[in-house]
């Protein structure tokens, strides 16, 4: 358990931009999805997003960003996290994340 707010900070701009192999990025996103679906644990969207971002970085695929969005549906407040890289959604359905209003200026810390 971590104190409220200890996983986020104001987003910093990426100076060099995204780099790396697009096919490898898609393969890694698929691997995270399969592990989440068929593994022992069923991690929530934020845990999956952090794992994917870190795995991409370890494989030299730089510039991925964890996005967080919210929506209000049928009297319920919903939040969701996903990863973008080169303006594409990785490891999630683009039509699903499009339903959420993105929270600006938020990033998830690497070493929290």
């Amino acid at each position: 358990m971590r104190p409220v707010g200890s996983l986020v900070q104001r987003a910093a701009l990426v100076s060099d931009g995204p780099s790396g192999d697009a096919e490898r990025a898609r393969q890694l996103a698929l691997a995270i999805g399969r592990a989440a679906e068929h593994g022992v644990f069923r991690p929530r969207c934020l845990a999956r997003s952090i794992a994917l971002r870190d795995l991409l970085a370890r494989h030299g695929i730089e510039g991925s960003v964890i996005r967080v969005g919210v929506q209000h549906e049928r009297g319920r407040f919903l939040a969701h996290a996903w990863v973008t890289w080169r303006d594409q959604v990785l490891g999630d359905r683009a039509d699903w994340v499009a339903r959420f209003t993105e929270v600006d200026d938020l990033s998830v810390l690497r070493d929290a």
Side-chain angles (χ1 to χ4, degrees), residues 69-73 76-79 96 99-101:
V70 295
Q71 71 168 286
H72 189 260
E73 183 178 276
R76 295 183 324 156
F77 179 77
L78 303 173
W96 171 248
R99 297 173 55 186
F100 291 84
T101 301

Side-chain angles (χ1 to χ4, degrees), residues 4-5 14-15 25 27 29 62 72 99 102-105 107 109 112:
V4 172
V14 178
S15 58
Q27 290 171 350
E62 297 295 333
H72 189 260
R99 297 173 55 186
E102 190 173 330
V103 178
D104 291 331
D105 295 330
S107 68
L109 299 174

Side-chain angles (χ1 to χ4, degrees), residues 3-11 46 68 105-110 112:
V4 172
S6 67
L7 289 177
V8 296
Q9 68 181 9
R10 291 190 66 76
L46 182 57
V68 176
D105 295 330
L106 180 71
S107 68
V108 178
L109 299 174
R110 285 193 188 275

